[in-house]
Structures are given as C-alpha cells and as structure tokens.
Amino acid sequence: MTASVEVSERFGAFGGRYVPETLIPALDALTEAYAEAMRDPAFTAALDSALRNYAGRPSPLSDAPRWSERIGAPVWLKREDLNHTGAHKINNALAQGLLAQRMGKHRIIAETGAGQHGVACATVCARLGLECVVYMGEEDMRRQTLNVFRMRMMGAKVNAVTSGTRTLKDATSEAIRDWVSTCEESYYIIGSVVGPAPYPRMVRDFQAVIGREARGQMLERAGALPRTVVACVGGGSNAIGIFHAFVGDKDVELVGVEAAGHGLHTTQHAASLSKGTPGVLHGAMSYLLQDADGQVHPAHSISAGLDYPGVGPEHSHLRDSGRATYVSITDDQALAAFDLLARLEGVIPALETAHAVAWIDANAGRWKSDEPVLLCVSGRGDKDVAQVAETRILTT
Amino acid sequence: MLSERFTSLRAAHRRALVCYVTAGHPDRARSLDLIRGLAEAGADVLEIGVPFSDPVADGPVIQSSSQEALEKGMTLNGALELVAEAKLPIPVVLFSYLNPIIAAGPNVLERARDAGVSGVLVTDLPVGSDAEREAWFGAGPLDFVRLVAPTTPRDRMAEIAKHGRGFVYLISRLGVTGMHAELASTLPASIATLRSVCTLPICVGFGISTPEHARTVGALADGIVVGSAIVQAAGRSVREAVDLTRTLRAALDEIE
C-alpha cells in the first residue's frame, strides 16, 4: 500500500495532513524524496557547502555586554540576522530549493508575510535558475515594500493576494491553491514549520542548524549551556530551529514569544498558543485563533512575520507537553525593544525578533549572573525601519 | 438515502445531477428558495456547502460566496437549520472543511441526520490523514463520501473506494473549484481506472458547468457535480440558477 494510507506523522495530537486529496501523492513524493536526499552524502554535502559558502554559515554568536548588564545575566545573540538575505529563512529556502532541483521541479511557489521567506526563495531561485512565484498579502506588500522590490530584482513574480485579511494567512491559502493546480511541475517551499506533513518536520530539520551551532558556540564561548533559550514565534521556524538541539537538555528552559498585538485582552493579536484552541488550518492540526464556529479569526501584529493565526504543530506539542513555555509581547513593547537593542548593542533586530528582545528585557533580574540567556536574532530590522519611522517611536 | 437514489437512477438508466450551493448565499432567504428550486428543477442530490474562512480547495466563485455567507452570519448549525426548513425530497450531502465540523461538537453528525442530511463530504480529510476522525465519520449516521483526484494512483483509488459510502466524488482536474471551458483530457482515463477498482457510483465534479460538459461526462460517469456555475448564477438570481439546473438536467437526460 502507498505510504499515504498510513496515519501521517504527528507531534502528539498535532500535525497531520489535512489537505485536498489532489496533494496527497505530491506529499508522498516529497516525503520520499526528502528521506532519500538526506541519506545521500552528495546532497548533504551540497547543502552544507551552500550554507557555508553562499549563506554565510555558521552565523556568529555575539555577546551583548551593555544589555547583559541591564538584564543582570549574560545574554548571547545567535546572529541569524547576519545570514545572506538577512534572516534565518535562507537556511530552509536553500535546502528546499536544492531538494526541488533534485526532484526535477523547475517552478517554485512560496508564500510570504514579512517578505523574508519570499526574498530567501527569490534568492535561491536566482542562484539555482528556477522560476519563482511568491504570494504575498496586499497589506503586507504595503508594509514591506523594500522586500517586494528585492524579490522582483531577483526575478521573482510577486502576486498580490487580495482575499480575506490580505496577510500571510491568505497568502498561504493562495499558495496552496496554486500548488493544487500545478503540483506536477511545481514545488511549494513552505517558509515555516507549518503545513501538512512532512513540511513541519522537514523545515524543522533544515532550521535545526541554528540550535546545533548555537549549542556548540555556547559551550565554547560561555562554557555552559544557556539557562533559557528565547525566540519569537509566528509560524515558529526560527524558534523550532534554535530549540531543537536543546530539547533533550532538561535544564534548558525554552521560551517562545508570540505577538500580543494590541493586547491579549483584545481580539487584535497573533497569540495562537496563548489564546487559541486546537483546530485545522493549512493542512495541520495545531493551536489556532478561531471562533466558536471553527472560522479562523484574523490575527494582528505590527510585525508581518508574526501576523498569522496558526502556529507550527510541534510548538503545540511542546506547549501541551510543558517542554516549552509560550509568552507574548505587545506591539508597543516590541517597538520599544527594537530601539533598545539598536541603542545598546548596535543591532537593529527585525520587528519579529524584537518581541523576543522585549520579553527578555521585561524579565531583567530573573536570571542569576551565571545563568546565560540565548536569544535567536531571527532577522535584521532593515526591512522594518521605514515602518517604524512611520510610527514615530524613534526620538532623536 | 443516497444509495437508494443511485439505485433508482441506475435502474432508470439516468445520470445523477448533483448540485452544490454555499449555505446562506446570496443570503439566507434566497438560499432557501434556491435549494428548493434546484430540487424542483431536477437535481438528484444537493450538496450544501458550509462556508469556511479559509477554503483552500476553492476557486474565486466559491471563495466569495463563502465570504458573503459568513458575513451574513451563516454557520454549520445555520446550514443544518436551512436543510431542516427546506424539507427536500432529495438527499442532501453536507460539504465542509474539517474545522467547522470539529468545532460543531461530537454530536454534529447526529444533528445533521436529524436535520435531514444523508451524507457528508470533507474537503480536507483524505484517506489516511486521521484514522480516529475518519473512523468517527465512517461509524456515524451519514454516508461518508470520499474524494478521488486526478493524481490519485490506482491502488489508492481502491483504498478510497473501500472507505467511501454513497458515491465517490471524482475531481475532474488538477486545481481548485471553478469553471473551465474545456474538460481535462485525462478525465476519461481517470474514470475508467476508478471504475475498475470501485463499485460505488462515480460522480465527477470541478470545472463542469455547461450542458456540453454534462453530456460528455454523463456518458462516462454515474453523475456530475456542478458547483461554481450554479453559485455564480445564484449570485445574479435564484431563477438563473434554477434555469441552469433545468438545462443541465435536460442535457443529462439526452444520454442513451
């Protein structure tokens, strides 16, 4: 019997493959091609080489002396912002791009929120000579004009999505619709640890390089594992990427920071793990912002990359099992943290990352001086500078 | 009730006309007129679509009808009330994404039966995706109608056919719901392959909108499903959708 007739892989009660029948053979083929590729030393060597020589890995681990003083414990920054294209997204895009090429697919589909995944895909497609079609919500295109320009520069076609909330949720739906229509020739590079199996596991594996490197760097530089690992969570790929290597280290606390938008007491937030309930969106069972009738509730965050009503199924499992803790930070707190890291450390973080910065900052004094805190700086804030300037938060 | 309907159609050498509507579109009152009108105009089975906020398997027509219905307050429970109120002389299949069904609670299938629904079709619950929930649907009071796609291999078709009840819904083409001028060239082969592994009636949907399509597909399959064309016509007027249904009925009845 075909692989698809077995119960699809899950993370506890979460995950699965809740997709139209048309996609099942494509997901089976992908599962098989991914397993084969990872067993092939030529593929893993090509990926390692691309990560090292093209994306700029390993990314540095920076100390943060001025901010650490304020926190009362050493804070370490895993610098995914220094990767080519400015975020962790390139790790996954490069790997899936190579996998698509290996599968003989010439057309790449991607969805994007903040535009970082779209840019990473456009970049990889330019390098590998693949056609690239990016779906992006009209509202996000407005918030992230720079990234739209970058994608187009590299030859990607950026399709504005005007349905629903005109953000990442609807961009993802539109990308799935494209894939249902073109699955024989197209490869869909999902940008986060969401979607039907095998995507959440595969994207996690491709992002796990963040935590593998960071764990070694912490032992080498700090002489200890971190007490706490902190990352922002939208779909949750940078968080899973840095958490994964530490899941087995029982003394390492894992904290995911969601977007509280205008506050958890309002309906204007993106905190699926804090305020959602289990449901099915975009192919997986996971925590979801939804109403009593099972209609998905629009999310809100100042950060386009966190503006998503769902979350990766593995995070739902980590939440329910208690292995990771999920907290949230408002738009205003994130904006203040954006400024803070820039001024104290000369690092302008992405607005997404700024949520994680804000949580650490709000918890100054929580750690002893010998308890290191590790932050995943998932991306750089250049893309957000214009939007933040608009809010006039920066005072000179 | 689905199997009885298909048995009597088969005995009469007639093809089934399955009509899809989005519950609550264009509004509740017209939706009620519409489903009654379609039954009178010769529909054999009514698929009542539960509007969902994120319909990834649907094209622009059903997306926008769903959006409109949601904005006017339609829900799965509202769709069941509509069916109960319509008291249709033909079987009704509840057509939904999984999430609204889960949200409606553990007794939703019994409540659907009590409202007069005979079958249930879930867009995003393919065979093998969730053993527990599939078993729950399979053991429930409704015929659990399963979908086959043009990409489905033969051995999987057999597996799907084994799990299905009522009829098998064959998706005619790659892609989402919506109207196309031409039928997919692969359709006759898909029908033949499915027929070789499946004893259930085969109804073909996605992209079937004209009397020509109805005649061509009806000659090969046991029935056709028309969705977007009816929904689009209903958006203009109930009468237009009913007229289209009559035309399709006549086209199917010309076969043999």
Side-chain angles (χ1 to χ4, degrees), chain A residues 1-2 5, chain B residues 127 154-164 197:
Chain A
M1 197 74 278
T2 50
V5 180
Chain B
V127 165
R154 187 174 185 273
D155 57 351
R156 187 171 159 81
M157 282 184 179
E159 190 70 18
I160 294 170
K162 200 170 83 189
H163 286 86
V197 296

Side-chain angles (χ1 to χ4, degrees), chain B residues 7-217:
Chain B
T7 305
S8 68
L9 281 166
R10 198 168 269 188
H13 299 285
R14 292 181 79 201
R15 304 305 189 279
L17 176 58
V18 182
C19 294
Y20 170 95
V21 302
T22 301
H25 170 261
D27 56 38
R28 191 184 188 282
R30 279 183 286 174
S31 191
L32 187 60
D33 289 346
L34 176 65
I35 59 181
R36 285 174 170 157
L38 297 183
E40 279 166 25
D44 294 299
V45 176
L46 180 83
E47 282 184 359
I48 186 130
V50 176
F52 182 49
S53 52
D54 298 84
V56 296
D58 286 302
V61 170
I62 294 178
Q63 280 178 52
S64 76
S65 69
S66 301
Q67 193 59 38
E68 262 183 75
L70 287 173
E71 280 162 12
K72 288 171 182 162
M74 185 48 62
T75 60
L76 191 154
N77 290 330
L80 297 184
E81 284 164 23
L82 209 56
V83 172
E85 194 173 333
K87 297 196 190 342
L88 298 181
I90 57 172
V92 176
V93 173
L94 194 68
F95 190 108
S96 183
Y97 289 82
L98 181 58
N99 207 49
I101 297 182
I102 295 174
N107 65 356
V108 61
L109 301 180
E110 285 73 20
R111 287 194 287 119
R113 175 202 56 204
D114 296 345
V117 172
S118 304
V120 59
L121 197 157
V122 187
T123 323
D124 51 356
L125 189 68
V127 165
S129 63
D130 183 334
E132 200 180 312
R133 282 198 179 76
E134 289 176 76
W136 174 70
F137 278 105
L142 307 181
D143 284 331
F144 188 20
V145 179
R146 309 307 293 261
L147 294 121
V148 166
T151 51
T152 308
R154 187 174 185 273
D155 57 351
R156 187 171 159 81
M157 282 184 179
E159 190 70 18
I160 294 170
K162 200 170 83 189
H163 286 86
R165 296 284 178 276
F167 62 95
V168 172
Y169 187 131
L170 175 65
I171 297 169
S172 79
R173 58 170 60 243
L174 289 183
V176 294
T177 57
M179 294 163 284
H180 292 266
E182 303 292 324
L183 293 168
S185 59
T186 52
L187 182 58
S190 297
I191 296 173
T193 310
L194 179 56
R195 187 76 84 188
S196 71
V197 296
C198 174
T199 54
L200 287 169
I202 298 168
C203 293
V204 179
F206 280 44
I208 300 185
S209 55
T210 67
E212 291 70 28
H213 294 162
R215 276 188 290 268
T216 310
V217 179

Side-chain angles (χ1 to χ4, degrees), chain B residues 38 41 237-249:
Chain B
L38 297 183
S237 76
V238 169
R239 175 186 293 264
E240 207 171 308
V242 169
D243 287 347
L244 172 63
T245 303
R246 277 206 188 87
T247 314
L248 293 165
R249 173 81 269 161

Side-chain angles (χ1 to χ4, degrees), chain A residues 54-109:
Chain A
Y54 184 70
R57 301 211 72 87
S59 68
L61 182 75
S62 299
D63 58 356
R66 297 184 66 207
W67 189 29
S68 297
E69 200 177 310
R70 181 178 155 106
I71 300 302
V75 182
W76 294 85
L77 312 177
K78 179 58 176 166
R79 300 293 304 279
E80 293 300 302
D81 59 315
L82 293 180
N83 292 337
H84 182 40
T85 72
H88 70 291
K89 295 292 186 188
I90 193 77
N91 304 328
N92 170 53
L94 255 182
Q96 288 203 58
L98 290 170
L99 185 57
Q101 197 176 42
R102 182 185 167 96
M103 292 175 74
K105 308 278 186 182
H106 300 288
R107 181 174 180 272
I108 298 297
I109 306 161

Side-chain angles (χ1 to χ4, degrees), chain A residues 18 21-22 169 280 290 295-296, chain B residues 53-55 99 130 151 156:
Chain A
Y18 301 91
E21 169 66 20
T22 305
K169 170 176 87 87
V280 172
Q290 57 181 328
Q295 305 296 338
V296 179
Chain B
S53 52
D54 298 84
N99 207 49
D130 183 334
T151 51
R156 187 171 159 81

